[in-house]
Amino acid sequence: MYRVRIEGEEREYAAGTSYREIVKDYQEKKEYTIVLVTVDGKLQELHKKLKKDCEIKLVTTAEEAGNRSYVRSVTQLMLKAIYDIVPREKLEKVSVQFSLSKGCYCKIIGDVTVDQAFLDQVKDRMWELIKEDIPFKKKSISTDEAISRFRGHRMYDKERLFRYRRSSTVNIYSLNEFEDYYYGYMVFSTGILKYFELYLYDEGFVLQMPRKKAPAFVPPFEPQKKLFCVLKESKEWGERIGVSTVGELNEKISKGKLNDIMLVQEALQEKKISEIARMITERKKSKFIMIAGPSSSGKTTFSHRLSIQLQAHGLNPHLISLDNYFIDRLKCPLDEFGKYDFESLRALDVEQFNIDMTALLKGDRIELPVYNFKTGKREYRGDELQLGREDVLVLEGIHGLNDALSYTLPKESKFKVYISALTQLNIDEHNRIPSTDGRLIRRMVRDNRTRNITAKGTLEMWDSVRRGEEQYIFPYQEEADVMFNSALVYELAALKQFAEPILFQIDKTDPCYPEAKRLLKFLDYFLGMTTEDIPKNSILREFVGKGCFPV
């Protein structure tokens, strides 16, 4: 018998008892389904068995790790249903491509008509599998055997991925005879996967699933047309150059063919920035270029590069950070945890901002503020500005797309740009890379390099950052005049060498360790690359350093 401390009490269980049996004693006390556990701080699936005295913590679908597990499991359930319905000879690939409206946009390549009747058939089959309560069986096989198996399954992205795998084994999951590979843990069985929906959209469909805030609720599908167009364009561009998965990227790196890919994508971004500058120039009344986006999107570098292109188009840009309109720190509003809420619109002096911008629009001369982050106070240092005919303001800050910030300014005077690092690269056809992970790794590297903040420090503040994005940025993204994708197909291979050492600094006993371990496992998929050849004006330089802009 082993002693187990769980939910503030101590119990005894026989050696070899599965965690699934143990959590049954506690499920009624939880509002949401328990899908994983941590055992002495280490995340474990429920089929694992008790081997020692330990402390167990329950992980439900209302937590990040539990929600990820639920999403992965529903994805395999959907794929199993599709492969049950469509004859193998007609099915070339099912591609889980990118996040859209709280779900995943998917495409089927092959001799398949994706219409509502087909989706209804898939959904019916998914419910049949749910009612059967089939366990997700996990087994470890050699990497060579995994390559052979997935070649046989015609899942060639996985075959290519495993060629560059450092480990000699691969963990695969099966639902009856259907085998697949997933980056991360799964739930115990199909019986709990009761919340999902399928929506026909564009050339494919969206698999809609709950988020951790409301794990028993499937949010309605809300088409994000502008965002979808940018994501689709980025995905198609990656496929066109032959780098849409990590395996393909590793292949380019190993064969010394990455430099051309890097230069082409950097050129493509410069072309996009030039097109935005042209659009601004053609809209004669645009005086305020409002740039907003989530953390670590590269807003500062983008603003500098856009300013250069605006000059090339005959305008005279002035770069201003909205951070300079912060109210004094002691007056800053507090969040629900009693900490300063710098993400809130109320953290800015909106009234003074509108007074100043209105005066500039009239042609008056004003003195611009500078926020002193050391003293927490706004200062005036004699920095005066007056707008002439060819002058424009490039305003960078998280509230730029929200008209509540610039309520006195005429609509025609504002040109809104939404920027985000929308990762177009996926691990393989069924494992997408969340844009959030890409931005988190960017921020971790930059924070450590420029602010001496540890990886642990970045991870601890990330939930707060994400809450601010959900509340103050994402609701306004479709109001942008144009969207810019700052993600670079090669960036994770470059960030790897900076991120891994600082993630390894996190101790196994630290609460941040499970997330650090997850990110390290994720980075292990990538072959590394040197940063020497990255252009000095690249957005990636904002994070790895040695760029030509003051960021």
Side-chain angles (χ1 to χ4, degrees), residues 131 219 274 290 310 325 331 389 457 466 486:
K131 290 173 183 176
S274 178
M290 319 292 282
L310 289 169
Y325 280 91
K331 299 178 182 177
R389 182 178 177 182
R466 292 283 292 136
S486 69

Side-chain angles (χ1 to χ4, degrees), residues 253-462:
I253 294 172
S254 67
K255 293 181 178 179
K257 296 181 179 180
L258 186 63
N259 198 56
D260 288 346
I261 299 292
M262 179 177 67
L263 292 175
V264 169
Q265 189 169 28
E266 292 285 355
L268 179 65
Q269 285 198 347
E270 192 63 32
K271 179 173 178 285
K272 294 286 185 184
I273 295 171
S274 178
E275 289 172 355
I276 293 171
R278 176 187 56 77
M279 292 168 65
I280 293 168
T281 306
E282 290 175 352
R283 280 179 39 172
K284 303 294 184 182
K285 293 184 178 181
S286 296
K287 282 291 185 182
F288 305 100
I289 318 305
M290 319 292 282
I291 299 170
S295 173
S296 303
S297 293
K299 296 183 289 293
T300 305
T301 299
F302 173 81
S303 298
H304 282 287
R305 287 175 63 174
L306 179 61
S307 295
I308 290 171
Q309 285 291 345
L310 289 169
Q311 290 181 63
H313 283 76
L315 296 179
N316 185 26
H318 302 273
L319 190 57
I320 294 176
S321 172
L322 290 175
D323 288 356
N324 287 324
Y325 280 91
F326 271 136
I327 60 176
D328 289 351
R329 189 176 297 149
L330 293 177
K331 299 178 182 177
C332 184
L334 304 179
D335 62 17
E336 65 267 37
F337 304 104
K339 297 181 180 180
Y340 289 126
D341 188 2
F342 297 114
E343 312 292 320
S344 171
L345 182 61
R346 294 184 295 121
L348 297 177
D349 190 340
V350 175
E351 183 178 358
Q352 188 61 51
F353 174 78
N354 280 273
I355 290 171
D356 288 351
M357 297 305 108
T358 301
L360 286 171
L361 195 59
K362 291 178 180 177
D364 296 342
R365 180 177 293 274
I366 69 161
E367 184 178 2
L368 291 168
V370 176
Y371 189 78
N372 187 326
F373 284 90
K374 290 183 178 180
T375 65
K377 293 184 178 181
R378 195 163 71 239
E379 300 172 353
Y380 288 89
R381 304 173 182 174
D383 185 11
E384 295 187 342
L385 180 64
Q386 184 176 24
L387 295 185
R389 182 178 177 182
E390 306 301 331
D391 289 288
V392 293
L393 289 184
V394 178
L395 297 155
E396 179 251 310
I398 68 170
H399 298 287
L401 305 185
N402 184 356
D403 283 329
L405 169 72
S406 52
Y407 64 92
T408 64
L409 301 180
K411 184 177 180 180
E412 63 272 14
S413 71
K414 295 179 281 189
F415 188 96
K416 300 178 180 179
V417 181
Y418 176 75
I419 173 174
S420 186
L422 304 165
T423 306
Q424 64 267 55
L425 194 71
N426 280 342
I427 294 173
D428 58 38
E429 61 268 79
H430 301 156
N431 288 271
R432 66 181 192 85
I433 297 176
S435 293
T436 301
D437 280 355
R439 292 192 293 106
L440 172 57
I441 291 169
R442 277 184 171 189
R443 177 159 179 157
M444 198 179 298
V445 170
R446 183 188 61 192
D447 282 358
N448 187 258
R449 180 179 63 83
T450 64
R451 302 173 187 175
N452 202 30
I453 296 175
T454 63
K456 169 182 165 66
T458 302
L459 289 173
E460 286 176 337
M461 70 176 76
W462 191 243

